[in-house]
Amino acid sequence: MTRAFLPKMFTVLLAGALAGLVLAAAALPAALVFGIGFSALSAPYAELPNTLRTPPTAQRSNLYANDGTTLITSFYQEDRVDVPLGEVAPVMRQAIIAAEDARFHEHSGVDLRGIVRAFTVNRRDGATRQGASTLTMQYVRNVLSTDPRLTEAQRTAATEVSTARKVQEIRYALALERELTKDQILARYLNIAYFGAGAYGIAAASKRYFSVAPAELTLAQAALLAGLVRSPHSDDPINGDADSATERRGYVLERMVESGLIAPEEAARAGTEPLNLHPSETPNDCTAVPEGHNDWGFFCDWFTRWWNGQKAFGGSVDERQRTLRRGGFTIVSSLDPGVQRATTEQVRRIYPVEHRHALPTAVVQPGTGRVVAMSVNRVYSVAANPTGQKNHPNTVNQLVAGGGTIVGYQAGSTFKLFTMLAALEAGLPLNTVFDAPPRIVTDYRISGEASCGGYWCPENASASTSGEHDMWTAFGDSVNTYFAWLTERVGADRVVEMAERLGIVFRAEDDAQLARHGAREWGPFTLGVSATTPLDLAGAYATLGAEGTWCAPTPVTSISDAAGRRVIAGQPDCRQVLDVDVARAAADAARCPVGDQSMYHGCTGGTATRLRGQLGRPVAGKTGSSERYATETVVAFTPQLAVAAMAANPDEPRDAVGRAVQTAMVEGVGEILSFALRNEPARDFVPPSEATAWRPTGQRTGN
């Protein structure tokens, strides 16, 4: 071939001449053309930029459910997914070459014949009618004009009509063809070209216009797409001019006949076909989840918040978002569509979408932190709400996981878990007995109606729960005065620290200030006066299901980059935060509230005793009511799964949900667990040691 034997000096001279011809065709002064063109090309060849060796094309990232095939949504700045040339129909390859560079396989990156022809036609017509850029030169221009690592001025310079730009383009094209095969260049061109209607690259274009894969394109379809790259904005048949697109299709078919690629009769048949567009638009971002699965939007939203916190994807939130929308990641999430559907059904059974009360619910896997489902009775949408209704029926606020303006909801007695864990860790056994009075005056100073002479003095929700209790019965019957006394014994600061260790985040500024500077005096913390979220709470209780291993809640199962390499950020982030025996002891006591029986038969009753019978397998958990039943909370867990549901009014915390909803919530949580564990074997909890159950021991830590 000519390019295999072309002497280096001749190539330089040829390139200079070609640059002059092209720019002369564009009516630039001949003296300027040849003066700059030859002087620039007389220098040694510049190294091929890494940008051209490894083009930084923006790639669409796809977020899938945990089956790896169900698409939740995509994220992109440019809708593009690169495909190898072997996955592009041969007729498409032929069409793009015929339309843009008929001598592609014969030249060395610059086509002398094409330039002479363009020069002749353009000079005859007195205007630029034909271009002389080869596919290789067009590819160079596309890469340089879209490279995010260049400044805006550098990208603009890559497409300006100037001698310097054309000389550089020619030199890079000649160098590129020495390093890559024709098939490699063609594949890169097809993947970077813009086809209009928001479709970048042949894969996105095939789907956008015809809803097919690039390997399935017909002759008529391929000719239409090949015709669009010259004027993608004006010829786009979806948003632009269908007649122009049809005319360009005919032009491409004619060129294919001239090149001997197809017979005239084939071209005639394809040219008479209607366009037969079957447009499909790739979803972009969380408001574009599939129709009928709007409830996935809250999980998707939390995924983006999680991604924004991962330093592996950039040094700032903006940089991490650019990485997501350009990086071509394949993200297999932890979302189980079946469990998500069951969760949403139960949530909306209790409260319909239009109800002012919300029931955010999270389902978490112990031992991995993977979030299997995340639902709330709201529409994930930026659409306006009726006056006075900030978060219903439409909202994009993160009601389940918290963040932004959502700090969470008071979880009531579910926080007694942290007091019990602090006591067990301090060496107190499960059978630590206290004769709990109806009301107790503590040493914690507070002000307001709840004080007794300036001291915190909680009372039990029911007089019947007063009397002698140990941890089993006090946790089962949710005895306030027992846990107020226990908090005094171990120290409120240790209870607060335990909650933080198990993943409770203080999003409300007042709570954060107390945790940092007033934890020693925060006795009421044990009754759940701090705001939290269902996701935090499910993760905390899941720690018991995993025998003391806390895992940061994660929305992903795996992440692979555009090259198929696994990204470490997708792996579980777990650590042992509790002594195993302490975790087992707390789980043993947590069986009491939900009607199960501890390994030491310490349970005598509970606040949600129907749950064990409904589920039909070992289960533990806790219910919680905030003051005046403003919120209600139910948490339940097994060794395989943890569920937390919280009823509240996100728009008005003083609007009490009432105690009655708790019964429905317990049933709903049971239904979620029943469905999610339907194919899983029943697993029992491991009993704690006799020492942890019955005898005081020394301090035990698991972190």
Side-chain angles (χ1 to χ4, degrees), residues 399-425:
L399 301 181
V400 186
T405 61
I406 305 301
V407 298
Y409 327 94
Q410 291 190 357
S413 294
T414 60
F415 269 39
K416 289 171 180 170
L417 170 68
F418 307 123
T419 305
M420 180 165 63
L421 285 169
L424 290 165
E425 191 170 83

Side-chain angles (χ1 to χ4, degrees), residues 100-417:
E100 295 297 315
D101 188 359
R103 287 173 35 78
F104 175 66
H105 287 289
E106 299 169 35
H107 61 66
S108 300
V110 181
D111 183 10
L112 178 59
R113 290 187 190 177
I115 289 178
V116 172
R117 183 183 65 251
F119 175 72
T120 302
V121 172
N122 294 339
R123 187 169 186 180
R124 180 195 67 203
D125 295 346
T128 304
R129 301 294 184 188
Q130 287 193 13
S133 292
T134 63
L135 281 181
T136 312
M137 293 166 66
Q138 291 182 46
Y139 168 71
V140 168
R141 192 181 316 136
N142 274 324
V143 171
L144 296 179
S145 65
T146 58
D147 186 356
R149 293 171 290 191
L150 299 179
T151 65
E152 187 63 35
Q154 289 172 319
R155 287 195 292 269
T156 300
T159 56
E160 68 179 353
V161 179
S162 71
T163 303
R165 193 273 298 173
K166 181 57 68 174
V167 168
Q168 182 190 62
E169 191 176 290
I170 290 172
R171 296 179 67 179
Y172 285 165
L174 291 168
L176 194 68
E177 292 239 2
R178 292 178 173 179
E179 295 208 10
L180 301 177
T181 67
K182 288 289 187 179
D183 278 355
Q184 288 174 321
I185 293 170
L186 179 59
R188 292 185 177 203
Y189 178 85
L190 284 167
N191 282 318
I192 202 172
Y194 181 54
F195 290 85
Y200 293 81
I202 189 59
S206 303
K207 178 182 177 183
R208 182 71 181 100
Y209 289 102
F210 302 112
S211 297
V212 300
E216 301 168 352
L217 290 168
T218 66
L219 173 59
Q221 292 170 338
L224 178 74
L225 295 181
L228 294 178
V229 296
R230 181 65 57 88
S231 302
H233 299 287
S234 60
D235 292 349
D236 160 20
I238 296 177
N239 304 305
D241 190 338
D243 290 338
S244 294
T246 304
E247 184 179 336
R248 282 290 297 170
R249 181 182 70 174
Y251 166 79
V252 174
L253 291 169
E254 289 175 5
R255 295 300 304 272
M256 293 179 76
V257 171
E258 291 174 9
S259 301
L261 298 171
I262 59 173
E265 52 271 25
E266 289 181 274
R269 284 195 299 270
T272 58
E273 287 184 22
L275 293 185
N276 287 329
L277 299 176
H278 294 286
S280 59
E281 194 165 2
T282 304
N284 192 10
D285 226 309
C286 297
T287 54
V289 295
E291 187 176 354
H293 293 291
N294 178 272
D295 58 306
W296 294 358
F298 293 95
F299 177 91
C300 175
D301 175 89
W302 178 62
F303 160 77
T304 63
R305 293 170 185 263
W306 174 88
W307 182 282
N308 288 344
Q310 302 301 306
K311 295 181 180 179
F313 301 121
S316 66
V317 170
D318 286 345
E319 187 177 345
R320 292 162 199 164
Q321 276 296 303
R322 284 195 297 271
T323 301
L324 173 64
R325 295 171 191 280
R326 295 184 59 89
F329 294 96
T330 297
I331 305 149
V332 179
S333 79
S334 55
L335 182 77
D336 185 310
V339 178
Q340 175 70 22
R341 183 179 63 253
T343 303
T344 299
E345 287 174 356
Q346 292 304 314
V347 165
R348 293 183 177 177
R349 175 184 63 83
I350 297 170
Y351 288 140
V353 169
E354 298 79 12
H355 203 287
R356 69 185 189 280
H357 295 150
L359 190 63
T361 302
V363 185
V364 175
Q365 186 180 69
T368 67
R370 290 180 176 134
V371 179
V372 179
M374 180 182 282
S375 187
V376 64
N377 53 310
R378 293 291 185 263
V379 177
Y380 188 82
S381 172
V382 294
N385 289 315
T387 302
Q389 296 179 197
K390 183 179 179 182
N391 281 298
H392 73 284
N394 304 308
T395 187
V396 291
N397 285 326
Q398 185 46 257
L399 301 181
V400 186
T405 61
I406 305 301
V407 298
Y409 327 94
Q410 291 190 357
S413 294
T414 60
F415 269 39
K416 289 171 180 170
L417 170 68

